[in-house]
Amino acid sequence: MPGLLPAALAAQGRYNVVYIMTDDHTAQMMSCYDNRFVSTPNLDRIAADGVKFVNSYVANSLSGPSRACMITGKHSHKNGFTNNEHGIFDGSQQTMPKLMRAAGYETALIGKWHLVSTPTGFDYFDIVPGQGDYYNPDFIKMDGSTVTEKGYVTNLITDKAIDWMANKRDKSKPFILFIHHKACHRPWLPEMKYIRAYEDQTFALPATLYDDYEGREAAAAQEMEIGNNQHMDIVYDNKMYRPGANTRLTDLYLSMLSRMDSKDRADYDYFYDSIANRFYAQNLTGKALTEFKYQRYMRDYAKVLKSLDDNVGRTLDYLRDAGLLDSTLVVYTSDQGFYMGEHGWFDKRFMYEESFATPLVMRLPNGLSARGDIKEMVQNIDYAPTFLDIAGAKIPDDIQGESLLPLLKGKHPADWRKSLYYHYYEYPAEHSVKRHYGVSTADGWKLIHFYQDINTWELYNLNEDPQELHNLYGQPGTEKVTKRLMKELVKLQKQYDDQDALKLNNQK
Ligand code: SGN
Ligand code: CA
């Protein structure tokens, strides 16, 4: 074999990086974070052989923007990709994959890209168009052609990732491989072998399923409620199809299913039709309907996750069998968190904990000694500088994230950041979440400003109100803490140079 053996690479500190990112996977549905709902043994393996970040967050809780923050190490207003709906990522800008490549790494991207422009900085890519499909999905190749491939998307992405590591890469170089799964994005279409999984399980209702949004105007204005059929579609999301159905998303649903092989489709219809027949015979309304939809949602999401967990296991097994584990940093994260019925919701976008947070676990190669939980506040803008640091490359001054490498070495720098900045832009748009920015502090406080066609501030004490139900902004006795958070917010806006937001602080 030409080039350096894995052990030699590790000795040089030039670890490989396998970065696995899912779509919309949230910590509530990952057993090493939260074991109430599902078991994810393979994801948990990553944490067991390394670290679990328990204060891991995104800078903008939406797919494209989150991915842009990740590959640039910069907040949205700096990388330019602020929202999914109007954005085209400017691929001519500095990105971490380009810098990794310049540092001698082989770079590859497989799966969901979602940044519209053709990926730059990759020696190899094989991506799904837009959101991609679950069944017999299309893939866009480097020559620009689109090919429909047979199978379930999570298996196919993993097959491709393993094939690239085993057969396609230049083995004389260290590599960074981005495996971007489509799972577990809406509408949670399961792999056929798991279509019957979780059907005996009844999931506990979240305490805030019937939140009334009192004191939170933006929360009241959203369109992401499980119980509302205009928000969570009974056909598309819950798969309760019957002939003549004409909900807003019925056509989209049927077009997705039309990709299936006929035998699978017959089995799929047989399974969901029997549930739909019972459902329509009951004429559920009110809370009974909401809770039926919640259970369907949880089960389908859990099924999709089961295939994902299997495939992460396959990826780890490949690395082990190829002798690469000791020289490879394996990262598992999601493009953002997600609501599993908290506040009555699905989807993400808000700076509230469930969607501001994102799972982040890492299996560490030989030589990186940290183990267990890491409590420092980290954000997805930190991944780029971390990987550059691992590659021994210079971290450019304009990168806004911090390298996590000291934390992976078991250090706890006293001057580690004590607050995080967030800015969400996609409004007006699907799910109607107002534009907002805010600051969250290590001592458990959060201040958020919703703006544009609204002008409201929210203040939370997470230590006493972890579910963020009590907006304390403007309450007597909070003047001092509000002032402190306001100061911290302005400090971060200046540090990150978010000039537009700075001006909005004084919106009248
Ligand atoms: C689609 C979904 C939305 C979802 C966005 C963004 N609608 O538009 O529910 O919020 O993607 O998701 S759907 O009817 O097409 O399923 S993201 O993860 O890509 O940002
Ligand atoms: Ca997403």
Side-chain angles (χ1 to χ4, degrees), residues 184-460:
C184 341
H185 196 274
R186 194 183 181 192
W188 317 291
L189 297 176
E191 184 179 1
M192 290 312 294
K193 76 174 179 190
Y194 288 137
I195 197 166
R196 288 168 180 79
Y198 292 102
E199 286 299 321
D200 295 336
Q201 192 164 329
T202 301
F203 294 89
L205 302 180
T208 59
L209 184 62
Y210 297 111
D211 191 352
D212 61 6
Y213 316 121
E214 198 196 327
R216 290 156 289 151
E217 212 180 297
Q222 52 54 48
E223 296 176 356
M224 43 195 255
E225 289 168 39
I226 293 173
N228 185 320
N229 280 337
Q230 298 306 314
H231 305 178
M232 179 174 268
D233 193 284
I234 193 74
V235 173
Y236 172 73
D237 292 305
N238 299 125
K239 306 161 186 72
M240 296 298 102
Y241 174 77
R242 60 176 165 177
N246 66 351
T247 63
R248 190 170 61 86
L249 298 173
T250 295
D251 289 348
L252 179 60
Y253 177 65
L254 294 177
S255 78
M256 287 179 179
L257 297 191
S258 71
R259 305 185 70 91
M260 297 178 91
D261 295 342
S262 56
K263 194 185 148 294
D264 285 347
R265 178 65 192 272
D267 194 17
Y268 182 101
D269 287 345
Y270 177 83
F271 175 75
Y272 282 111
D273 284 355
S274 71
I275 301 172
N277 289 339
R278 270 179 279 140
F279 166 71
Y280 285 113
Q282 289 180 75
N283 278 317
L284 301 176
T285 56
K287 286 189 171 181
L289 177 62
T290 300
E291 289 166 29
F292 172 85
K293 292 176 78 180
Y294 168 75
Q295 296 297 343
R296 293 292 348 138
Y297 167 46
M298 293 294 282
R299 287 178 187 145
D300 290 335
Y301 187 107
K303 293 173 201 196
V304 171
L305 190 56
K306 206 166 162 56
S307 300
L308 187 269
D309 187 71
D310 285 357
N311 276 289
V312 169
R314 280 177 64 209
T315 309
L316 292 172
D317 289 349
Y318 167 76
L319 290 169
R320 181 197 60 209
D321 296 346
L324 290 166
L325 263 187
D326 290 347
S327 57
T328 302
L329 172 72
V330 182
V331 178
Y332 178 84
T333 188
S334 173
D335 64 345
Q336 11 70 204
F338 213 69
Y339 296 92
M340 304 308 300
E342 299 87 359
H343 303 288
W345 297 339
F346 66 107
D347 214 67
K348 50 259 180 176
R349 301 164 190 265
F350 280 102
M351 196 194 171
Y352 303 135
E353 286 298 288
E354 291 83 355
S355 51
F356 176 34
T358 198
L360 179 65
V361 292
M362 298 189 190
R363 190 198 186 281
L364 302 183
N366 284 353
L368 294 181
S369 60
R371 289 292 178 274
D373 289 0
I374 292 186
K375 298 200 177 75
E376 278 81 357
M377 293 185 113
V378 303
Q379 200 162 30
N380 58 343
I381 55 170
D382 297 337
Y383 306 167
T386 303
F387 302 155
L388 291 169
D389 213 2
I390 276 174
K394 185 181 171 306
I395 301 168
D397 291 340
D398 62 351
I399 282 194
Q400 298 184 316
E402 306 291 334
S403 169
L404 304 177
L405 191 54
L407 305 178
L408 303 182
K409 289 180 174 164
K411 296 186 187 146
H412 298 282
D415 61 350
W416 192 261
R417 68 157 82 85
K418 302 283 185 295
S419 63
L420 289 178
Y421 185 61
Y422 180 87
H423 197 157
Y424 168 83
Y425 298 80
E426 193 175 278
Y427 181 88
E430 196 179 6
H431 300 300
S432 283
V433 176
K434 311 275 187 188
R435 291 188 180 208
H436 60 290
Y437 57 80
V439 60
S440 176
T441 64
D443 66 348
W445 286 88
K446 196 185 282 183
L447 178 70
I448 313 175
H449 182 209
F450 292 93
Y451 69 93
Q452 203 175 19
D453 63 354
I454 186 174
N455 181 19
T456 57
W457 290 80
E458 296 185 6
L459 174 71
Y460 296 99

Side-chain angles (χ1 to χ4, degrees), residues 45-59:
R45 257 165 84 188
I46 298 178
D49 292 333
V51 294
K52 179 175 78 184
F53 289 86
V54 294
N55 288 301
S56 154
Y57 296 91
V58 295

Side-chain angles (χ1 to χ4, degrees), residues 34-290:
D34 184 339
N35 59 16
R36 287 174 301 162
F37 301 120
V38 289
S39 160
T40 52
N42 291 298
L43 298 177
D44 297 0
R45 257 165 84 188
I46 298 178
D49 292 333
V51 294
K52 179 175 78 184
F53 289 86
V54 294
N55 288 301
S56 154
Y57 296 91
V58 295
N60 184 348
S61 182
L62 196 63
S63 168
S66 166
R67 290 156 204 267
C69 291
M70 187 278 282
I71 63 163
T72 60
K74 296 176 184 176
H75 280 280
S76 303
H77 62 280
K78 287 291 178 191
N79 66 50
F81 199 93
T82 57
N83 71 77
N84 279 341
E85 297 204 343
H86 313 289
I88 294 179
F89 182 72
D90 171 11
S92 70
Q93 68 184 292
Q94 166 186 290
T95 65
M96 171 263 293
K98 287 184 191 172
L99 296 169
M100 292 295 283
R101 204 175 178 189
Y105 273 61
E106 181 99 330
T107 59
L109 163 71
I110 292 164
K112 181 176 173 182
W113 167 240
H114 212 199
L115 291 179
V116 189
S117 52
T118 301
T120 58
F122 298 95
D123 292 299
Y124 183 83
F125 69 77
D126 195 349
I127 58 176
V128 299
Q131 297 285 6
D133 268 290
Y134 279 106
Y135 302 128
N136 298 329
D138 289 345
F139 283 87
I140 302 172
K141 311 286 163 179
M142 292 186 78
D143 64 7
S145 64
T146 297
V147 177
T148 305
E149 301 197 23
K150 279 223 165 297
Y152 186 68
V153 71
T154 311
N155 300 332
L156 290 171
I157 288 172
T158 306
D159 291 345
K160 289 167 183 292
I162 292 174
D163 180 46
W164 182 79
M165 289 188 284
N167 306 314
K168 291 199 163 73
R169 70 189 167 93
D170 176 349
K171 289 190 175 150
S172 69
K173 294 180 182 172
F175 68 87
I176 179 163
L177 168 61
F178 299 82
I179 309 175
H180 291 191
H181 285 286
K182 180 210 167 35
C184 341
H185 196 274
R186 194 183 181 192
W188 317 291
L189 297 176
E191 184 179 1
M192 290 312 294
K193 76 174 179 190
Y194 288 137
I195 197 166
R196 288 168 180 79
Y198 292 102
E199 286 299 321
D200 295 336
Q201 192 164 329
T202 301
F203 294 89
L205 302 180
T208 59
L209 184 62
Y210 297 111
D211 191 352
D212 61 6
Y213 316 121
E214 198 196 327
R216 290 156 289 151
E217 212 180 297
Q222 52 54 48
E223 296 176 356
M224 43 195 255
E225 289 168 39
I226 293 173
N228 185 320
N229 280 337
Q230 298 306 314
H231 305 178
M232 179 174 268
D233 193 284
I234 193 74
V235 173
Y236 172 73
D237 292 305
N238 299 125
K239 306 161 186 72
M240 296 298 102
Y241 174 77
R242 60 176 165 177
N246 66 351
T247 63
R248 190 170 61 86
L249 298 173
T250 295
D251 289 348
L252 179 60
Y253 177 65
L254 294 177
S255 78
M256 287 179 179
L257 297 191
S258 71
R259 305 185 70 91
M260 297 178 91
D261 295 342
S262 56
K263 194 185 148 294
D264 285 347
R265 178 65 192 272
D267 194 17
Y268 182 101
D269 287 345
Y270 177 83
F271 175 75
Y272 282 111
D273 284 355
S274 71
I275 301 172
N277 289 339
R278 270 179 279 140
F279 166 71
Y280 285 113
Q282 289 180 75
N283 278 317
L284 301 176
T285 56
K287 286 189 171 181
L289 177 62
T290 300

